[in-house]
């Protein structure tokens, strides 16, 4: 079994998903995503799990494919993908795992 990456700070989650701070902030404020470990003080960063980063990658990919944010919200609420849209979730999960494990950053916990 492959190791499950440890939760990463928001900055690393944004890098993995190739999104901007503005996108992550908006998605968090609208309830599309939430950190698994919230910031505990002004100097700490919220941390996102492998599942949360995978969700960010899927959200970004759907937007890149032209799916509206409203359709994405409805699909997530009902767990039904818009018609005609096929996503290989296993492939996306592997990409996310690779991105999260690829280059440990200075903000990662010591292993």
């Amino acid at each position: 079994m492959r190791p499950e990456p440890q939760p990463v700070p928001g900055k690393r989650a944004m890098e993995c998903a190739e999104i901007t701070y503005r996108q992550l902030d908006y998605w968090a404020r609208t309830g599309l995503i939430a950190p698994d470990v919230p910031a505990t003080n002004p100097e700490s960063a919220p941390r996102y799990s492998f599942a949360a980063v995978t969700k960010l990658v899927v959200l970004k990919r759907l937007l890149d494919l032209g799916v509206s944010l409203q359709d994405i919200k409805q699909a997530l609420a009902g767990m039904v993908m818009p018609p005609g849209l096929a996503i290989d979730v296993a492939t996306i999960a592997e990409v996310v795992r690779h991105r999260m494990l690829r280059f440990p950053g200075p903000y990662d916990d010591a292993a």
Side-chain angles (χ1 to χ4, degrees):
M1 180 181 266
R2 295 183 183 181
E4 187 72 19
Q6 294 297 311
V8 295
K11 181 176 179 180
R12 183 71 174 276
M14 289 183 294
E15 291 169 356
C16 291
E18 298 177 346
I19 61 171
T20 64
Y21 171 80
R22 189 173 176 176
Q23 286 173 302
L24 181 61
D25 180 59
Y26 178 75
W27 295 346
R29 285 187 289 112
T30 59
L32 277 174
I33 192 77
D36 296 278
V37 182
T40 55
N41 62 58
E43 283 140 30
S44 70
R47 298 177 77 81
Y48 295 84
S49 68
F50 173 73
V53 175
T54 300
K55 185 174 181 179
L56 290 172
V57 170
V58 171
L59 288 170
K60 174 72 162 79
R61 180 73 176 124
L62 289 171
L63 287 172
D64 289 348
L65 290 171
V67 179
S68 73
L69 198 54
Q70 181 177 352
D71 286 344
I72 293 170
K73 287 178 184 179
Q74 289 174 348
L76 290 175
M79 296 303 290
V80 176
M81 299 307 291
L85 184 63
I87 295 179
D88 183 352
V89 176
T91 300
I92 291 172
E94 282 304 309
V95 169
V96 172
R97 185 182 312 279
H98 173 72
R99 289 179 185 171
M100 289 179 76
L101 294 175
R102 181 176 48 192
F103 301 110
Y107 36 75
D108 291 332
D109 296 320

